[in-house]
Amino acid sequence: MFDTSRAVAPLLLLALFWAVNKYVAFRRAVRSIHDWPGFRTLFSDMFVYFPFRVRGISPGAQWPFYTKHEDFARAGWDVVAAVNVLPSAGVTLYIADAQVAKEIIGARARFPKPLVAYQLLTTFGSNILVTEGEEWKRQRKVAAPAFSERNNRLVWDETIRIVEDMFENVWGDKDLVELDNIMEVTVPITLLVIGVASFGRRISWNEDNVAPPGHSMTFKDALHEVSHRLFLRVIFSQRVLRYGTAKMRYFARAYDELDKYLNEMVAARKAATTKEEHHDLFNSLLDANEDELDSEARLTDTALVGNIFIFLVAGYETTSHTLAYAFIFLALYQEEQEKFYQNLKANLPSDRTPTYDEFSSLSYSMAVLNETLRHFPPVVNIPKSSAEDTTFTVGNPAGEKRTLPVPANSMISICTSALHYNPRYWEDPLAFKPERFLKDYPRDAFLPFSGGPRGCIGRGFAETEGVAVLTMIISRYKVEVREEPQFAGETFAQRKARLMESMHSLTVYPKRAPLAFRRR
C-alpha cells in the first residue's frame, strides 16, 4: 500500500527550503538599503496579475497617482523604498526628491532605462523610447530632425484650421454645445492634427468615417482602440486575442488594421517616384533616414514603423487627455477661467486668429497647460535602474539630509505625481493655480515630459497643439460643467471627484466628464 506520508514529507521539506530561501533573500534586500522606510510586500507594484493595493501584499499599480505625496510624507523622506518577496527579492526606490531626480536623469550610464518595463511599447517594433546606448543614439539621430520648428509651425496652423472647422461645421450656430464627455472633442481634434502634422493626411470633421478599400476599420478608430487597450498585448498573444471575448477580438482586429496602415504608409512612401517637400513627421523621418549616408545607421522598416507608432500614440494620448483635464479644471474653477479669458482678450487680435509667430505672447495659455500637466502628468512613473552600487542624499520637509545606499540592479521610479505635489517645491499643491507658471517655478520638480537627454522628443509638438486648442476655444466659448439632474445638490468636492475620476491606458484620462461650451 502506498504510504502518502513518505511522498508528502519531501514536498514539505522542499517547500520549507524554498520559503526560507525567499525569506533570507528578502531580509538581505532590506538590509542592503538599511531598512529605509517604505513598503514591504509580497509583490512589487509591477506585478500585473495583482494590481491592487493591499498592505503586505502589494503597493498597488500606479499607486503614486492615487496617493500623490502622502506616502512620502508618511515615511518622512522624499524617497520611499519598497522590497518585495516574489517572484524574486527586489528593491524599488520611488523618488519625489527633485535633486535626486535631477541626478538620475542627468546620468544615463549610471541609471539606464530598464527596457523590460517598456515591453508594452515594442509591439510594432524597436523605437527611440525603448532603446538604450548606441542604438538609442542611432535612432535619435534619425528621428530628431523630424521634430523641427517647421513641423511646430505646421502643427499650429493645422490645429487652428481644425478648431475653426469644428466651430463652423460641427458646433455651427449653437449658443450652447453640451457634451456627454469632454473626450468627444479632445480626441477627434488630436487625431485630426496627427493625421496632417504626422502623416500629411488633411481631413475634415465630416470625413474619415468610412474605412478605405482593403480595411475594415478607419485609421482613427484603429489607433484609438489600440492605444487604450495595448496592455492586452502584454497579457495575451495575438492568436489568443483573435479567439477571445468580443472586446479582445475587436482589439485584435484594430491591432492588425493599425499594423497594416503603418506598413502601407512606409511602402507607399518608399515606392514614390518623385520626392516632394513635406514638413510632417512621417515624411521628415523617412527623409532623414534616406539621407543618412552611413547605411549601417539607417533604420530598418520595423524600426521606422516602431517609431511612427510611438509618435502616434504619444502625440494622441498625451495631448487629448491633457486637454480634457484642462477643460475640466477651467469648468470647475470659473475664476481661473475668467483670468485666462481676460488675458487672451488683452493679448489676442480681435479681427483675426493668432499666428504661430504670436505663440510666445500666449504665456497664460501655456501656464494653464503646465498647471494641468502638473496635476495630471501623462506618465505617473519614469522607470530607471541602477547600474552600480551608489548612494542618494535624500531630503525631507524638515530640511534634514540622510544617505540612502542604492544597490546595483535596484529598480528606480521617479514619481512625477508625487514630485508635482511635493509641498517642498509647490505652494498649496492641491490647488489649481496656473499663475504659478507665470513666474519662476521649480523646474527640476516639474517633469511631465521627463527631462535630460532622454526627455520627450515631441514636447514642442504637444505644447504647440495644446496652446492652440486652449487659446482658440476659450477665446470664443465659456466652458461649464454640464448640469445633470442625478447630481443635483452635490458639493464642489463631490463634483470635482466625479469629473476627475480617471482610467489608465498608456496615460491617464478622465472616465466621464460632461461639460458644456457657451458662446461668449
Side-chain angles (χ1 to χ4, degrees), residues 269-270 275 285-293 298:
R269 174 63 169 75
K270 287 193 167 187
K275 185 175 179 180
L285 178 64
L286 267 64
D287 286 344
N289 196 48
E290 292 171 0
D291 291 343
E292 179 57 59
L293 298 178
R298 290 178 187 161

Side-chain angles (χ1 to χ4, degrees), residues 300-419:
T300 64
D301 284 359
T302 300
L304 284 170
V305 169
N307 277 286
I308 293 164
F309 171 70
I310 286 300
F311 297 163
L312 268 173
V313 171
Y316 153 60
E317 289 235 343
T318 299
T319 312
S320 65
H321 298 168
T322 300
L323 283 171
Y325 286 118
F327 285 121
I328 296 170
F329 272 124
L330 293 171
L332 287 168
Y333 294 89
Q334 287 292 318
E335 68 283 2
E336 295 296 341
Q337 183 181 172
E338 183 61 21
K339 291 179 188 177
F340 181 20
Y341 174 61
Q342 293 301 327
N343 180 273
L344 291 177
K345 280 182 64 178
N347 288 281
L348 284 180
S350 58
D351 58 340
R352 60 175 175 80
T353 56
T355 67
Y356 181 66
D357 293 325
E358 294 165 309
F359 180 86
S360 60
S361 68
L362 299 170
S363 57
Y364 215 109
S365 301
M366 180 63 80
V368 170
L369 190 69
N370 280 340
E371 178 68 343
T372 303
L373 286 166
R374 186 184 70 81
H375 281 274
F376 289 94
V379 179
V380 177
N381 297 301
I382 303 172
K384 299 285 185 180
S385 61
S386 178
E388 60 188 32
D389 291 330
T390 186
T391 60
F392 291 147
T393 301
V394 184
N396 68 8
E400 299 170 307
K401 297 289 183 182
R402 184 177 167 188
T403 299
L404 166 65
V406 181
N409 301 316
S410 296
M411 295 295 292
I412 298 171
S413 181
I414 300 173
C415 302
T416 51
S417 291
L419 189 62

